[in-house]
């Protein structure tokens, strides 16, 4: 979906396909047929943007076979789909029964991460629509915080410098500008947007910036306007933004609230949980069940937020809610000003099948309806900010 910003630029809205498990190229092609095109039809649009997730094996098949890449591009065109952004965070196995800490491997100190991201950039240059010259990729925020020492930090920094050089060369070769954004996430080396400033200003390259995920922003209790102003002041580009909402519990000491939260503690994904002290210090656990354990480490005198991407259009039932207000505030700053801070927006609710059983879609059509409803909400937020939807 495309929108015209009042300044005349085009803002792209997509939804991320990491919600649909697929490790191979055949799986990706099936996604387009079974999910992406039906969502486009459900919205009644001639064109739908998708934030494509390509696992290692799928990316390898495409980068080593130009005919396969042309075939994928043809399928996108035939089904009324377009790709301007990729999710390069998960490397493989994102549809496994247990993902948890595995999603952070390989990290930017490992050569596999640089190789994979380079491949994604090459592929995106070939997948961009004919009238689009700029593409973006989101990636993990350097590494999970444990076992990350100065040696690994140096390797990660060198890898990102090499990536920037390769992206420069790719533009010279193809005329397509691809940028990569570190996606701050709780528990990682770069947990907040503030944490991103030092490593990115050290690299100081316009092709390497930040992907602002509004669920992660909210989970870490960052104020959107303060965070985005700081990035702007530091000249750190917002490469893209993922529109997502976290789980919010206003009164975590209440037994009913803890019971409701327990329904969201599940075995597949990590649900980092955070709270703040009156002095503003951030306290957290790596997962929701740790926070809920008897005698757990989190104080329960202030609200808790958990890294659980809940559907944008359907907040959890009381006594829980979502951080949709944080998303709205961030979006106002991202695209509501005289010029957009980013032109690539991606709805990323990948946890539909990890929701409590009574909230999960029971059929493919229900998932189609849910994602379409999220995109409709995002579209309405954009038009309320003065952007005009394009055909």
């Amino acid at each position: 979906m495309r929108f015209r910003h009042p300044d005349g630029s085009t803002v792209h809205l997509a939804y991320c396909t990491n919600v649909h498990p697929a490790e191979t190229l055949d799986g990706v092609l099936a996604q387009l047929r079974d999910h992406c095109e039906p969502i486009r039809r459900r919205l009644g649009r001639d064109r739908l943007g998708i934030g494509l997730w390509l696992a290692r094996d799928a990316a390898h098949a495409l980068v080593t076979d130009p005919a396969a890449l042309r075939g994928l591009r043809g399928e996108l065109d035939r089904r009324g789909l377009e790709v301007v952004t990729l999710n390069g965070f998960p490397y493989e196995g994102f549809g496994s029964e247990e993902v948890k800490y595995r999603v952070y491997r390989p990290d930017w100190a490992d050569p596999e991460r640089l190789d994979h991201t380079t491949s994604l950039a090459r592929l995106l240059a070939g997948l961009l629509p004919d009238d689009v010259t700029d593409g973006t990729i989101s990636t993990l925020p350097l590494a999970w915080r444990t076992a990350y020492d100065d040696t690994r930090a140096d390797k990660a920094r060198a890898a990102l410098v090499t990536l920037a050089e390769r992206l420069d060369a790719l533009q010279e070769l193809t005329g397509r500008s691809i940028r990569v954004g570190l996606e701050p996430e709780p528990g990682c080396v770069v947990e907040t947007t503030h944490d991103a400033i030092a490593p990115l200003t050290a690299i100081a390259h316009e092709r390497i910036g930040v992907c602002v995920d509004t669920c992660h922003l909210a989970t870490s209790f960052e104020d959107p306007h303060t965070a985005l102003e700081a990035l702007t002041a530091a000249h750190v580009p917002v490469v893209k933004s993922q529109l997502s909402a976290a789980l919010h519990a206003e009164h975590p000491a209440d037994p009913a609230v803890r019971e409701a939260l327990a329904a969201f503690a599940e075995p597949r994904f990590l649900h980092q949980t955070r709270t703040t002290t009156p002095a503003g210090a951030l306290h957290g656990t790596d997962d929701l069940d740790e926070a809920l354990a008897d005698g757990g480490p989190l104080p329960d005198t202030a609200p808790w937020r958990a890294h659980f991407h809940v559907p944008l259009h359907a907040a959890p039932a009381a006594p829980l809610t979502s951080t949709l207000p944080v998303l709205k505030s961030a979006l106002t700053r991202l695209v509501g000003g005289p010029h957009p801070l980013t032109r690539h927006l991606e709805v990323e609710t990948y946890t539909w099948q990890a929701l409590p059983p009574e909230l999960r879609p029971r059929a493919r059509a229900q998932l189609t309806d849910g994602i379409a409803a999220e995109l409709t909400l995002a579209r309405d937020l954009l038009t309320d900010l003065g952007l005009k939807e394009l055909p």
Side-chain angles (χ1 to χ4, degrees), residues 265-320:
E266 53 83 35
R268 178 176 294 183
F269 299 113
L270 209 59
H271 301 297
Q272 303 93 313
T273 305
R274 298 290 185 267
T275 189
T276 57
T277 67
L282 199 63
H283 289 270
T285 60
D286 283 355
D287 216 341
L288 181 55
D289 55 359
E290 297 174 33
L292 292 169
D294 291 339
L298 280 193
D300 57 11
T301 54
W304 287 4
R305 288 177 178 173
H307 172 218
F308 195 119
H309 290 221
V310 295
L312 302 186
H313 68 292
L320 303 178

Side-chain angles (χ1 to χ4, degrees), residues 42 54-55 65 67 89 166 176 181 248 259 291 311 334 379 391:
R42 176 68 177 79
L54 296 172
D65 185 352
F89 195 141
R166 292 178 179 179
R176 304 293 178 89
H248 180 94
E259 181 180 359
L334 285 166
R379 178 197 64 193

Side-chain angles (χ1 to χ4, degrees), residues 204-284:
H205 198 291
E206 64 181 0
R207 298 197 194 280
I208 311 295
V210 165
C211 168
V212 175
D213 184 303
T214 58
C215 170
H216 304 172
L217 192 80
T219 301
S220 294
F221 287 87
E222 290 196 82
D223 174 73
H225 290 272
T226 301
L228 294 170
E229 286 296 336
L231 291 174
T232 300
H235 304 289
V236 173
V238 180
V239 168
K240 65 184 278 191
S241 180
Q242 289 173 325
L243 307 183
S244 52
L247 193 61
H248 180 94
E250 186 69 18
H251 302 290
D254 185 332
V257 172
R258 298 177 79 88
E259 181 180 359
L261 281 171
F264 287 84
E266 53 83 35
R268 178 176 294 183
F269 299 113
L270 209 59
H271 301 297
Q272 303 93 313
T273 305
R274 298 290 185 267
T275 189
T276 57
T277 67
L282 199 63
H283 289 270

Side-chain angles (χ1 to χ4, degrees), residues 291-369:
L292 292 169
D294 291 339
L298 280 193
D300 57 11
T301 54
W304 287 4
R305 288 177 178 173
H307 172 218
F308 195 119
H309 290 221
V310 295
L312 302 186
H313 68 292
L320 303 178
T321 187
S322 82
T323 61
L324 184 62
V326 176
L327 184 160
K328 292 179 178 179
S329 179
L331 198 59
T332 298
R333 182 67 183 88
L334 285 166
V335 299
H339 304 287
L341 295 185
T342 183
R343 295 192 300 274
H344 289 180
L345 305 172
E346 179 183 61
V347 171
E348 197 215 10
T349 305
Y350 58 82
T351 46
W352 283 92
Q353 297 303 335
L355 289 166
E358 67 275 11
L359 301 179
R360 295 175 195 166
R362 293 182 297 277
R364 186 182 298 166
Q366 288 180 307
L367 180 59
T368 295
D369 289 346

